[in-house]
Every structure is written in C-alpha cells, then in structure tokens.
Amino acid sequence: MSVPQAWQPPSSIERALHEARLRGDWPGYYDVVARSRLYMAQPRAEVEARPDHVLFLPYWNPHTKSKCLAVHTAGMLPATVPDPVFTWQSLGWFARVWEPGDPPYLVVNPGSPCEGVLPAPPEGRALWLRHAAQVQRVGPAQDAVHRLDVGGPLQGPAAFGLAAGAHLSVQNGEF
C-alpha cells in the first residue's frame, strides 16, 4: 500500500494561500488573493471578438450548493489549450464589477488544498475592496525570481533555454 504524497504547492502564491488556510488566517488569505492575478477561463472566440469584455461563466459547486465563479492563481492554471483562454483581473476589479445577479461566491483555486470560497454579498465585496486597497501592484513583484516548483524541466536543453531567458522573467515579474 502506497502512502499518499503530500500536496506540493506549485508556487509561493499557492503555498501562502495554503498556509493561511491551514492556520485559519482568513485576513492573510484575502491579502494574498488581493496581491494575486486571478485568472478566469474565457471562450477564445469571445476574447478575440471583444477583448475588453469579460464573461462570468459560473459552475455548480457541490459544497456551497450554488453557482460560483471560479478563478485560479498563476500556479494553478491548467495546461495551455487552444480554447478556453485565461484572462486575469484583480480582486478589487471583481469587487467593483460584481452585480446582484452574479454568483454568491468567488472560488479561488476550486478543488485544491488552497481553495478559498469568498462570499460575494455587498459586505463580502466591501471586504475584498479593503484588502485590495492595500495593494500597490497586483501580480508577482518585479525584479525578483519567481519559480514554479512543479512541472518544468530541471535539466537538459529546455531547462537551459528557460534559464537563458530568466532575466526577462525577473525584470517583468513573471515565473
């Protein structure tokens, strides 16, 4: 019988979310979410036709027994496919555009150990805005090394090629 392997957070973002959740530190969790780019799946044709338009495409969440809007942090994005594509927004943006008929919850990284279910009534969105107001820049810090801890080559020509361009990632605040 094999022992289940512990979950490996893909990046420092998901590690911080997971640790905050384990501690029950919801203010800390919201702070990490407010600093993070929140990616939503969008139909490619819609993004190409109307690049400034964002569709809320809710899913049924069995835990909340309601429709929810799913977002993912950068390390939790699925493998790239032609359709859907992912666009990102900030927590503050979601708080400002959310409307009364929208889902009652925003779910960060659904189904993962770092999942967070953020209630979206007016008082919930006010909380989102308070955390977002403390953020200078959404996304990974510029001029710092950010790495994905799972899924990439560690040796060979592909790893060498990635390392050769690492200075651009550092300068642009990307993984």
Side-chain angles (χ1 to χ4, degrees):
M1 179 186 228
S2 67
V3 176
Q5 197 173 25
W7 183 66
Q8 172 67 44
S11 79
S12 60
I13 299 164
E14 295 79 25
R15 183 176 308 105
L17 291 172
H18 187 237
E19 289 171 356
R21 184 177 164 171
L22 288 174
R23 289 190 312 270
D25 177 9
W26 290 105
Y29 190 96
Y30 275 75
D31 286 343
V32 175
V33 172
R35 290 190 307 268
S36 301
R37 293 177 181 163
L38 302 176
Y39 293 86
M40 270 193 315
Q42 299 286 288
R44 177 180 288 283
E46 182 68 27
V47 171
E48 289 174 351
R50 299 166 51 182
D52 294 331
H53 186 72
V54 177
L55 295 175
F56 279 17
L57 303 170
Y59 76 100
W60 180 258
N61 185 307
H63 302 290
T64 63
K65 295 182 177 30
S66 67
K67 290 190 174 191
C68 296
L69 185 64
V71 294
H72 304 276
T73 52
M76 295 297 292
L77 285 169
T80 303
V81 295
D83 196 17
V85 297
F86 285 82
T87 61
W88 72 267
Q89 300 295 337
S90 68
L91 184 62
W93 179 89
F94 282 103
R96 289 186 297 276
V97 303
W98 209 274
E99 295 179 352
D102 289 333
Y105 300 98
L106 178 69
V107 180
V108 179
N109 298 327
S112 75
C114 65
E115 176 184 73
V117 178
L118 311 184
E123 58 275 7
R125 295 191 312 275
L127 178 62
W128 303 357
L129 281 172
R130 283 196 299 277
H131 285 273
Q134 301 171 32
V135 175
Q136 299 269 326
R137 179 182 181 276
V138 175
Q142 288 180 278
D143 298 324
V145 175
H146 304 285
R147 69 180 198 274
L148 289 173
D149 293 333
V150 296
L154 301 176
Q155 299 177 26
F160 179 80
L162 290 169
H167 65 286
L168 292 173
S169 295
V170 168
Q171 184 176 2
N172 295 328
E174 302 292 339
F175 289 105

